[in-house]
Each structure stands twice: as C-alpha cells, then as structure tokens.
C-alpha cells in the first residue's frame, strides 16, 4: 500500500481516539491499534467509506506478548510512520490484574504504551511525532484534583505499581491512585524520552474533561456523577471539552512537522505544567529506567 505518511492511533474504537483516528485519516493512512478486532474493523470501514485509508492491528496493551506481536506486525508493514498517538487507556474503579498478575490500569496505561513505543522508536524517521495522552489527575496541586480529594500520582516504583501498590496516603476513591500514577508515568516517560531522543518530537497532551467518552471503562455511577454534575461546576467547567474538540487539538500536534519536543499541552493546545515531580529530570529518568528494567525482567 503506497502512502507518504502513516499515523498510528491506539484506542481508536471509542471517545477521543475514535475522533482522532477520523481526523488523522484526512491527512494520511491510519493504523488502528486496539484490542477488539470487530470494533477495529468497524472503525476501518467508517474511514474507508469516507474515501480514506486505514489498517487494523489487534493489540491488547495490557498484555506484553500482544504488544510484541502487534509491533512486529506494524514493522513488517514497512510503512513510513510519521506519527504515533498513544491514546488508549482505562480508568477502572475496581482493581483487577492481567494474566501476569500486574495491575490492569498500570499495565494498560503505562507499561503497554511504553513497550509499544520503545519497540517502534528504531523504525520512526527523524522528526516523527509521538504523542502521549496524559491527564491532569497526576498533579496533586491541580484545583480539580484537590476538590475531588485525589492525591495525584502515587509512584513508588514500576515494580510496586505493577503489584498495585501506591504511595500512601492515597485517594479514598477506588482506582484513582492507579489511574493517576499511570498518567504520571505517561507524562514522565514522554518528557524523559523527548530529552533522550532529540531526533523525534515527543510530546504529551492533557485532553480536558470529556464526559462524553467511554471514560476508559469507568462505572456507571462515576460516569453519571462526573459527566452530569461535577464537570458542569467550577473549577471543573473550565476544563470541560468534547472528544471532537480534544481530537482536533491532538491531531494538530500529531501532524505538526515544525513543532518542538518535550512539551505538555493542555486541552486548548497551550503549553501547561504538570506536577513539580513530573518535571524533575531525575524522576523522569527513574520512571523510564525502572519501567525498562521491570519489563525486561518480567518478560525475559
Ligand atoms: N475522557 C476524559 O475526560 C479524559 C481526561 C484525561 C485523560 N483522558 C485519557 O484520554 C485517553 C482516551 O480516553 P477516552 O476518555 O476517550 O476513553 P474511552 O472512550 O474509554 O476510550 C478508550 C480506548 O482505549 C482502548 N483500550 C482500553 N483498554 C485497552 C487495551 N487493553 N488494549 C488496547 N486498547 C485498549 C479502548 O478500546 P475498547 O473499545 O476495546 O474498550 C478505547 O478504544 C485515555 O488515555 C484517557 O486516560 C481522558
């Protein structure tokens, strides 16, 4: 299949990722990466009906073997990958484990996307864009995080996170320490990799509060309270967005060939700051080193 550009989107079957896949398909061939073949093919058909091109690659990001297979499949396609959007994520309110016993949220949101990105990096041309969809919940000082009684990212180590252990005292809201820590690691890894790989453009985006998405599988009560009540009130309403709008902002970053690297963008596409910890180079490098060590020892 001839194409001068190819974009990869993880989690294109719902919410922000679906809208971003549609938007990106206006610019180039899109490789749709998700865990459900039927859903991927549904999105692929929608893109093809619009006269655009897409391919589907099955990948369960919570499963390292699946990540390995998927990246090998993508590499074998030998397409010029000019953009990788790490969007897929879950926000589980009940702790669960993958087949290896790892915390499902941490495995899906951080370990999988990290391994996926590292496997593809050697095949990305100079100047390629890599974008991680992060979340402001990692920052304990953010007004919305404080009001909700969340504690921000609670990283101890990659190994402890895989065991489902978070720095105490954590949040009383089930699942939120896991989610916030996975997003803390997304952002820390993006910023560390941007310094280590200056030939690429590696950035992160906080997409705003998007109650109209699947919210990463959050349960019905949380979705109702969050979507219909909380996000209409200050301080939440200033971050409220829609998946279409978030996708437009993200797509612009993924396709921009003049953009810099190592920037964290907000839901309006403006530069923002995360927690002070996540901007600390030593912390960023520790997250990357410990994630690599954990993945290589656990999957050796
Ligand atoms: N919505 C918000 O307000 C908000 C705020 C901040 C950050 N975010 C982040 O934005 C990103 C997109 O979230 P969203 O709100 O659009 O959620 P969503 O509608 O639930 O979409 C999540 C996507 O991730 C995929 N996914 C989940 N587990 C996976 C796995 N193990 N392997 C591969 N794909 C998997 C889902 O696939 P299936 O269709 O198969 O389930 C779906 O395509 C996430 O990283 C989320 O943390 C969202």
């Amino acid at each position: 299949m001839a194409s001068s550009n190819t974009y990869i989107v993880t989690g294109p079957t719902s919410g922000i990722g679906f809208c971003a896949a549609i938007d990106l398909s206006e610019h180039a061939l899109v490789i749709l990466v998700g865990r459900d073949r039927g859903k991927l093919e549904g999105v692929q058909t929608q893109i093809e009906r619009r006269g655009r091109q897409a391919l589907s690659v099955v990948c369960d990001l919570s499963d390292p073997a699946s990540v390995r297979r998927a990246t090998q499949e993508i590499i074998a396609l030998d397409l010029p990958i000019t953009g990788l959007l790490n969007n897929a994520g879950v926000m589980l309110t009940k702790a669960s484990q993958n087949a290896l016993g790892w915390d499902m949220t941490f495995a899906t949101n951080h370990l999988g996307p990290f391994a996926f990105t590292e496997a593809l990096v050697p095949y990305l041309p100079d100047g390629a864009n890599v974008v991680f969809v992060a979340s402001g919940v990692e920052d304990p000082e953010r007004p919305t995080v404080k009001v909700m009684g969340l504690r921000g990212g609670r990283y101890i180590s990659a190994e402890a996170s895989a065991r489902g252990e978070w720095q105490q005292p954590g949040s009383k809201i089930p699942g939120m320490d896991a989610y916030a820590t996975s997003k803390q690691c997304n952002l820390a890894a993006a910023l560390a990799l941007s310094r280590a790989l200056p030939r690429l453009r590696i950035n992160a985006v906080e997409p705003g509060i998007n109650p109209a998405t699947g919210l990463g599988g959050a349960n019905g009560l949380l979705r109702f309270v969050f979507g219909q009540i909380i996000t209409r009130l200050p301080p939440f309403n200033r971050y409220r967005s829609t998946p279409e709008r978030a996708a437009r902002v993200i797509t612009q970053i993924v396709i921009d060939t003049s953009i810099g690297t190592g920037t964290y963008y907000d839901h309006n596409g403006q530069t923002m700051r995360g927690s002070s910890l996540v901007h600390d180079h030593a912390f960023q490098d520790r997250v990357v080193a410990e994630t690599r060590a954990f993945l290589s020892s656990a999957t050796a």
Side-chain angles (χ1 to χ4, degrees):
M1 185 179 293
S3 176
S4 55
N5 280 325
T6 303
Y7 295 117
I8 298 174
V9 181
T10 71
T13 51
S14 171
I16 297 166
F18 171 76
C19 296
I22 298 288
D23 288 357
L24 286 167
S25 71
E26 294 294 327
H27 300 273
L29 168 72
V30 177
I31 301 179
L32 307 165
V33 176
R35 58 184 165 177
D36 184 317
R37 183 177 293 284
K39 285 191 193 177
L40 287 176
E41 285 172 357
V43 178
Q44 183 176 335
T45 302
Q46 288 190 57
I47 289 174
E48 287 168 351
R49 283 208 184 112
R50 299 163 70 101
R52 304 293 169 184
Q53 290 180 299
L55 292 173
S56 298
V57 172
V58 175
C59 176
D60 180 344
L61 285 161
S62 71
D63 173 2
S66 177
V67 170
R68 217 165 21 247
R69 274 194 303 274
T71 51
Q72 283 163 0
E73 190 178 332
I74 291 169
I75 292 161
L77 290 169
D78 197 21
L79 289 165
I81 301 159
T82 40
L84 161 58
L85 174 57
N86 283 307
N87 160 78
V90 289
M91 188 168 75
L92 306 175
T93 40
K94 192 162 181 263
S96 62
Q97 286 77 38
N98 71 1
L100 298 168
W102 303 350
D103 179 83
M104 185 60 96
T105 301
F106 194 72
T108 306
N109 293 5
H110 174 60
L111 296 172
F114 183 89
F116 187 79
T117 303
E118 290 246 286
L120 292 176
V121 157
Y123 301 90
L124 300 180
D126 289 354
N129 277 305
V130 178
V131 176
F132 286 82
V133 180
S135 168
V137 299
E138 66 81 25
D139 181 1
E141 298 306 321
R142 194 171 162 89
T144 47
V145 171
K146 282 183 151 175
V147 169
M148 283 182 78
L150 306 181
R151 306 298 302 253
R154 312 303 296 164
Y155 186 79
I156 301 169
S157 69
E159 205 177 333
S161 301
R163 284 197 303 269
E165 293 168 13
W166 322 106
Q167 204 180 95
Q168 294 302 314
S171 164
K172 293 199 170 40
I173 304 181
M176 290 313 289
D177 289 337
Y179 181 70
T181 305
S182 71
K183 292 292 158 181
Q184 178 184 38
C185 289
N186 284 162
L187 184 52
L191 298 177
L193 293 176
S194 74
R195 286 187 288 105
L197 299 163
R199 70 178 191 86
L200 302 175
R201 308 170 205 279
I202 304 181
N203 295 297
V205 185
E206 204 295 328
I209 298 174
N210 295 262
T213 70
L215 285 180
N219 71 23
L221 179 64
L222 184 68
R223 286 165 56 84
F224 176 76
V225 173
F226 186 68
Q228 299 307 320
I229 304 171
I230 291 175
T231 57
R232 296 190 186 280
L233 306 170
F236 300 93
N237 53 356
R238 61 183 261 232
Y239 303 107
R240 201 175 156 98
S241 190
T242 63
E244 292 78 10
R245 196 168 148 231
R248 271 198 300 278
V249 169
I250 292 169
T251 296
Q252 201 45 49
I253 298 165
V254 176
I255 65 171
D256 195 331
T257 54
S258 62
I259 205 168
T261 190
T263 301
Y264 185 25
Y265 293 94
D266 72 5
H267 61 296
N268 293 317
Q270 304 296 314
T271 302
M272 70 176 272
R273 294 282 295 174
S275 61
S276 47
L277 184 59
V278 96
H279 287 285
D280 180 276
H281 288 188
F283 177 74
Q284 295 167 6
D285 292 341
R286 184 158 77 83
V287 168
V288 166
E290 291 177 357
T291 302
R292 272 191 196 129
F294 174 74
L295 283 169
S296 65
S297 69
T299 57

